[in-house]
Short mmCIF file of all heavy atoms in Angstrom, two decimals:
data_model
loop_
_atom_site.label_atom_id
_atom_site.label_comp_id
_atom_site.label_asym_id
_atom_site.label_seq_id
_atom_site.Cartn_x
_atom_site.Cartn_y
_atom_site.Cartn_z
N SER W 100 10.98 12.77 -26.28
CA SER W 100 12.22 13.37 -26.76
C SER W 100 12.59 12.92 -28.17
O SER W 100 12.91 13.73 -29.03
CB SER W 100 13.35 13.04 -25.78
OG SER W 100 14.60 13.45 -26.31
N ILE W 101 12.54 11.61 -28.40
CA ILE W 101 13.01 11.09 -29.68
C ILE W 101 12.09 11.52 -30.83
O ILE W 101 12.54 11.75 -31.95
CB ILE W 101 13.17 9.55 -29.63
CG1 ILE W 101 14.13 9.09 -30.72
CG2 ILE W 101 11.81 8.84 -29.70
CD1 ILE W 101 14.74 7.75 -30.47
N ILE W 102 10.79 11.67 -30.55
CA ILE W 102 9.85 12.14 -31.57
C ILE W 102 10.13 13.59 -31.91
O ILE W 102 10.12 14.00 -33.08
CB ILE W 102 8.40 11.96 -31.09
CG1 ILE W 102 8.07 10.48 -30.89
CG2 ILE W 102 7.41 12.61 -32.06
CD1 ILE W 102 8.19 9.64 -32.15
N CYS W 103 10.40 14.39 -30.87
CA CYS W 103 10.70 15.80 -31.10
C CYS W 103 11.99 15.96 -31.90
O CYS W 103 12.03 16.70 -32.89
CB CYS W 103 10.80 16.53 -29.76
SG CYS W 103 10.99 18.32 -29.93
N ARG W 104 13.03 15.27 -31.46
CA ARG W 104 14.35 15.47 -32.08
C ARG W 104 14.44 14.92 -33.49
O ARG W 104 15.01 15.54 -34.38
CB ARG W 104 15.43 14.81 -31.20
CG ARG W 104 16.85 15.13 -31.63
CD ARG W 104 17.84 14.75 -30.54
NE ARG W 104 17.89 13.32 -30.35
CZ ARG W 104 18.69 12.51 -31.05
NH1 ARG W 104 19.46 12.98 -32.01
NH2 ARG W 104 18.71 11.22 -30.80
N LYS W 105 13.85 13.73 -33.71
CA LYS W 105 14.00 13.07 -35.01
C LYS W 105 12.99 13.54 -36.06
O LYS W 105 13.28 13.51 -37.26
CB LYS W 105 13.84 11.55 -34.83
CG LYS W 105 14.90 10.88 -34.00
CD LYS W 105 16.22 10.80 -34.74
CE LYS W 105 17.23 9.96 -33.97
NZ LYS W 105 18.53 9.89 -34.66
N TYR W 106 11.80 13.98 -35.62
CA TYR W 106 10.75 14.25 -36.58
C TYR W 106 10.22 15.69 -36.53
O TYR W 106 10.19 16.38 -37.55
CB TYR W 106 9.57 13.28 -36.37
CG TYR W 106 9.90 11.84 -36.65
CD1 TYR W 106 10.36 11.00 -35.63
CD2 TYR W 106 9.78 11.32 -37.92
CE1 TYR W 106 10.67 9.68 -35.89
CE2 TYR W 106 10.09 9.99 -38.19
CZ TYR W 106 10.53 9.17 -37.16
OH TYR W 106 10.85 7.85 -37.42
N ILE W 107 9.78 16.11 -35.35
CA ILE W 107 9.07 17.39 -35.26
C ILE W 107 10.01 18.58 -35.41
O ILE W 107 9.77 19.48 -36.23
CB ILE W 107 8.29 17.49 -33.93
CG1 ILE W 107 7.30 16.33 -33.82
CG2 ILE W 107 7.58 18.83 -33.84
CD1 ILE W 107 6.27 16.28 -34.93
N ALA W 108 11.09 18.60 -34.63
CA ALA W 108 12.01 19.75 -34.68
C ALA W 108 12.54 20.03 -36.09
O ALA W 108 12.55 21.19 -36.53
CB ALA W 108 13.15 19.55 -33.69
N PRO W 109 12.97 19.01 -36.86
CA PRO W 109 13.45 19.31 -38.21
C PRO W 109 12.39 19.87 -39.14
O PRO W 109 12.71 20.54 -40.12
CB PRO W 109 13.94 17.93 -38.71
CG PRO W 109 14.23 17.16 -37.47
CD PRO W 109 13.20 17.59 -36.48
N ALA W 110 11.11 19.59 -38.85
CA ALA W 110 10.03 20.06 -39.73
C ALA W 110 9.43 21.39 -39.28
O ALA W 110 8.58 21.95 -39.99
CB ALA W 110 8.92 19.00 -39.79
N LEU W 111 9.86 21.92 -38.14
CA LEU W 111 9.24 23.13 -37.59
C LEU W 111 9.41 24.40 -38.43
O LEU W 111 8.53 25.26 -38.39
CB LEU W 111 9.77 23.39 -36.17
CG LEU W 111 9.19 22.48 -35.09
CD1 LEU W 111 9.84 22.77 -33.75
CD2 LEU W 111 7.67 22.66 -34.99
N PRO W 112 10.50 24.58 -39.17
CA PRO W 112 10.58 25.80 -39.98
C PRO W 112 9.38 26.01 -40.89
O PRO W 112 8.87 27.13 -41.01
CB PRO W 112 11.87 25.61 -40.78
CG PRO W 112 12.72 24.75 -39.90
CD PRO W 112 11.77 23.81 -39.24
N GLY W 113 8.88 24.94 -41.50
CA GLY W 113 7.72 25.05 -42.37
C GLY W 113 6.47 25.43 -41.61
O GLY W 113 5.67 26.25 -42.07
#
Side-chain angles (χ1 to χ4, degrees):
S100 172
I101 202 159
I102 296 299
C103 186
R104 189 166 67 87
K105 295 287 188 181
Y106 294 92
I107 301 301
L111 284 177

